[in-house]
Amino acid sequence: METPPVLVDTRGRVGLITLNRPRQLNALSDALMDALGAALLAFDADPGIGAIVIAGGPKAFAAGADISAMADWSYMDVYQGEFITRNWETIRRVRKPVLAAVAGLALGGGCELALACDIVVAAESARFGLPEVKLAMLPGAGGTQRLPRAIGKAKAMDMCLSARQLDAAEADRWGLVSRVVPDEALLDATLALAAEIAAYSLPALMAIKESVNRAWESSLSEGIAYERRALYARFASADAHEGMQAFLAKRRPQFSHR
Ligand code: DAK
């Protein structure tokens, strides 16, 4: 039987997707990205799921796009086949929080995949890099766009032009990751964080994610206007009233995710 390129599991309200090509250091083949996209969309559509974790292996989160597949592609292959856009961009359609649990190498497309997640929890062994320049390629799955927004132009240029790798502590200092934990605690810590998030009201989480993402893609005044509308819409949510009533009554809120 063929090994599935991703493994899918649920832990309460958390959906767990594990990249599963350890012998290729989780190189992101088309089959893997198709399976990842399908798993993400299935969890996004499942009302029992409030947050999603993408994990790799202990040696590599992912070592990038699959070079063995790309080596012979022509311009027409990638243009007509809509390489990257066709399946890598699926993650942008996911409305629930997505957390990356990164141990070991997150290189090229692997780093870009982590950058596309909402929260990155890094193990101490994590290494982030965009080594495409060594192949005379360029980071083409959002790396040249998301990295400068995440860590600023000077640091992003350094990483993209010199293929410099960041260790977990540097990545934490520069704002590329959210938290750093010991390797042996990575999965449990990420799942615990995801469970904590997933227990909050789902429509509130979705509205927060939409609003924070707006900060990347609009001017401040447009972003503030968007945020204000999102806040007003909270008053149409049963959970927001429940949350405030529970606070006043000094009890735990019972969210219905409505
Ligand atoms: N693709 C395919 N196979 C890979 C791979 C990759 N990215 N990375 C590693 N592997 C395979 C190796 O070939 C090896 O396979 P076997 O020889 O055992 O069959 C196996 O995984 C173990 O790797 P190593 O033996 O090399 O392990 P080491 O520990 O010695 O070295 C390494 C680990 C990660 C430093 C090394 O494997 C390495 O440098 N890998 C390549 C990393 C890299 O350059 N990543 C960036 C890929 S380029 C585009 C849009 C986006 C992109 C491109 C185009 N367009 C819109 C056109 C994105 C490009 C990338 O992500």
Side-chain angles (χ1 to χ4, degrees):
M1 236 177 62
E2 229 173 272
T3 322
V6 304
L7 304 174
V8 177
D9 197 2
T10 55
R11 309 283 173 92
R13 287 184 56 76
V14 176
L16 172 62
I17 305 170
T18 306
L19 311 180
N20 188 39
R21 298 185 75 208
R23 264 180 286 154
Q24 294 79 25
L25 302 179
N26 289 332
L28 302 168
S29 63
D30 243 16
L32 187 152
M33 293 313 287
D34 282 344
L36 175 62
L40 285 167
L41 292 181
F43 281 141
D44 210 32
D46 182 342
I49 294 296
I52 303 166
V53 171
I54 302 177
K59 185 173 176 196
F61 177 69
D66 192 332
I67 300 170
S68 62
M70 288 193 300
D72 294 328
W73 285 349
S74 68
Y75 171 78
M76 279 306 158
D77 290 332
V78 293
Y79 179 61
Q80 294 190 339
E82 261 203 316
F83 179 50
I84 304 287
T85 310
R86 184 176 60 74
N87 48 9
W88 287 54
E89 299 268 305
T90 306
I91 194 164
R92 295 186 62 195
R93 288 161 45 200
V94 176
R95 300 174 72 199
K96 295 174 182 173
V98 181
L99 295 81
V102 179
L105 299 166
L107 299 182
C111 182
E112 291 172 306
L113 176 60
L115 281 167
C117 293
D118 303 312
I119 290 181
V120 180
V121 182
E124 283 160 356
S125 68
R127 298 284 178 277
F128 298 85
L130 292 171
E132 285 87 344
V133 69
K134 291 187 186 173
L135 307 170
M137 293 292 274
L138 92 161
T144 66
Q145 303 305 303
R146 289 198 183 96
L147 193 62
R149 283 170 168 78
I151 67 173
K153 179 184 165 189
K155 302 292 190 193
M157 282 288 190
D158 189 357
M159 286 181 70
C160 291
L161 295 176
S162 77
R164 175 182 174 184
Q165 283 185 22
L166 301 187
D167 63 25
E170 285 174 302
D172 192 25
R173 244 187 348 264
W174 290 5
L176 201 158
V177 305
S178 317
R179 306 178 181 198
V180 180
V181 299
D183 279 67
E184 57 280 9
L186 177 68
L187 190 58
D188 284 349
T190 313
L191 288 169
L193 175 59
E196 185 186 333
I197 292 170
Y200 294 125
S201 168
L202 182 55
L205 294 171
M206 289 160 62
I208 291 168
K209 174 169 170 166
E210 275 173 28
S211 297
V212 174
N213 279 336
R214 269 293 152 129
W216 283 47
E217 296 186 11
S218 57
S219 66
L220 181 60
S221 51
E222 274 189 35
I224 295 277
Y226 187 90
E227 178 200 75
R228 205 55 38 80
R229 293 287 146 200
L231 172 71
Y232 293 162
R234 293 285 78 231
F235 289 83
S237 154
D239 280 348
H241 292 290
E242 165 63 10
M244 291 186 280
Q245 291 299 339
F247 173 79
L248 294 174
K250 300 189 188 304
R251 61 171 173 80
R252 284 170 70 87
Q254 296 288 321
F255 292 131
S256 58
H257 305 291
R258 306 289 296 174

